[in-house]
Amino acid sequence: MKDLFIKRFTYYKSLGDKSFAQLSDEQIFWQYNDESNSIAVIVKHIAGNMLSRWTNFLTEDGEKPWRNRDDEFINTFKSKQEVIEYWETGWKCLFEGLNQITDENLYHTVYLRGEPHSVMDAVCRQLAHYPYHIGQIVYIAKMIKDHDWKTLSIERNKSQEFNNEMKDKFSADDSAFNSSPVCFQNSPEVRDEYK
C-alpha cells in the first residue's frame, strides 16, 4: 500500500514540477486579481501543510502548534528558486512520512486538529487535498502560458490516437486497464489489489 501511495503522490508532484519548468520567475508570482493566489502562494500553503501533517505524523497531531496557516497565504518568496526549494522541502517531508507506513500501522489512529483518523484515511485526505491545489497551479500556469503551454496529459483532439496506443501496448494483458494510464504516467504496472 505504501508503494501505491508514493506512486500516486509522485505523479501529482510531477504535474507541479512540469508546470514550474514552463514558467519564468515573474510568472510564478502572477495573480489574476488581489483576491487570487499566485502559484508561489499555493506552493507555500501546500508545503506548509505537508510540513505540519507529515512531521512525526504517527505520533503527533498533524496540525502542529508551530504552523501559521494564515501566513501561508502571504507571499514571502523572492524568487522562483525559493518557491521550488520550499516545494521540495514539503515533498521530502511527505515522502519520509509515507515511508513510515507499514501493513501493521495502516489502520493505526493518528490525529488532525484532534480528530481521529486511520493512517489510511489521513493519507487519503491529503491525496485529495494536494491534487486540488496542484490543479490550481496547472490551471494558472496554462492561463499564463496561453498558446505556449505544453500539455501535461493527452493532447487535445488526440484521445483516440492515445487510446489506440494504449490498447496496442497492453493488448497482451487486459487486466492492465484496471489502472489509469494518465494517473500512472503510462506505467505498465497494475495495482495488485485491483487485478
Side-chain angles (χ1 to χ4, degrees):
M1 188 61 75
K2 171 180 70 176
D3 293 339
L4 176 59
F5 292 149
I6 290 171
K7 187 173 194 175
R8 285 287 188 177
F9 279 110
T10 298
Y11 169 72
Y12 288 110
K13 179 182 186 297
S14 77
L15 295 180
D17 294 340
K18 291 173 184 176
S19 297
F20 304 148
Q22 297 188 50
L23 300 173
S24 68
D25 272 56
E26 296 77 26
Q27 290 169 331
I28 289 281
F29 296 101
W30 179 83
Q31 291 176 254
Y32 176 72
N33 60 31
D34 289 341
E35 292 301 311
S36 301
N37 293 318
S38 66
I39 289 173
V41 167
I42 295 169
V43 167
K44 188 175 179 187
H45 169 59
I46 293 173
N49 179 282
M50 289 174 172
L51 292 170
S52 183
R53 293 290 182 266
W54 297 98
T55 299
N56 303 321
F57 92 103
L58 291 173
T59 57
E60 296 176 4
D61 192 289
E63 187 67 14
K64 302 295 187 288
W66 43 259
R67 182 184 185 200
N68 183 349
R69 184 182 179 281
D70 292 334
D71 183 63
E72 293 169 8
F73 295 95
I74 300 168
N75 180 57
T76 54
F77 298 119
K78 302 287 188 262
S79 69
K80 176 181 174 181
Q81 185 59 38
E82 284 183 18
V83 173
I84 292 172
E85 286 172 6
Y86 196 56
W87 168 261
E88 293 295 340
T89 299
W91 284 102
K92 181 177 185 288
C93 186
L94 176 143
F95 289 124
E96 287 172 356
L98 289 178
N99 275 311
Q100 296 175 43
I101 296 174
T102 64
D103 291 341
E104 291 73 36
N105 66 19
L106 197 56
Y107 295 98
H108 176 79
T109 300
V110 295
Y111 295 89
L112 299 175
R113 295 189 179 98
E115 179 184 354
H117 294 67
S118 67
V119 167
M120 168 84 85
D121 187 28
V123 172
C124 289
R125 179 173 167 160
Q126 299 316 110
L127 196 48
H129 183 204
Y130 304 144
Y132 167 79
H133 289 302
I134 292 167
Q136 293 172 329
I137 289 170
V138 172
Y139 188 73
I140 293 168
K142 285 177 74 169
M143 285 194 301
I144 292 169
K145 295 303 289 184
D146 198 20
H147 297 294
D148 294 328
W149 175 254
K150 294 176 186 68
T151 188
L152 306 182
S153 62
I154 301 168
E155 291 183 51
R156 194 180 292 250
N157 299 318
K158 299 282 186 171
S159 296
Q160 190 59 51
E161 184 179 316
F162 181 80
N163 290 344
N164 291 339
E165 287 174 20
M166 295 306 293
K167 286 178 185 175
D168 291 343
K169 184 175 182 177
F170 293 108
S171 62
D173 182 5
D174 288 341
S175 66
F177 291 101
N178 287 333
S179 62
S180 166
V182 175
C183 290
F184 284 97
Q185 295 179 291
N186 305 327
S187 171
E189 298 172 22
V190 180
R191 297 175 292 177
D192 289 337
E193 66 270 28
Y194 294 109
K195 280 187 178 177

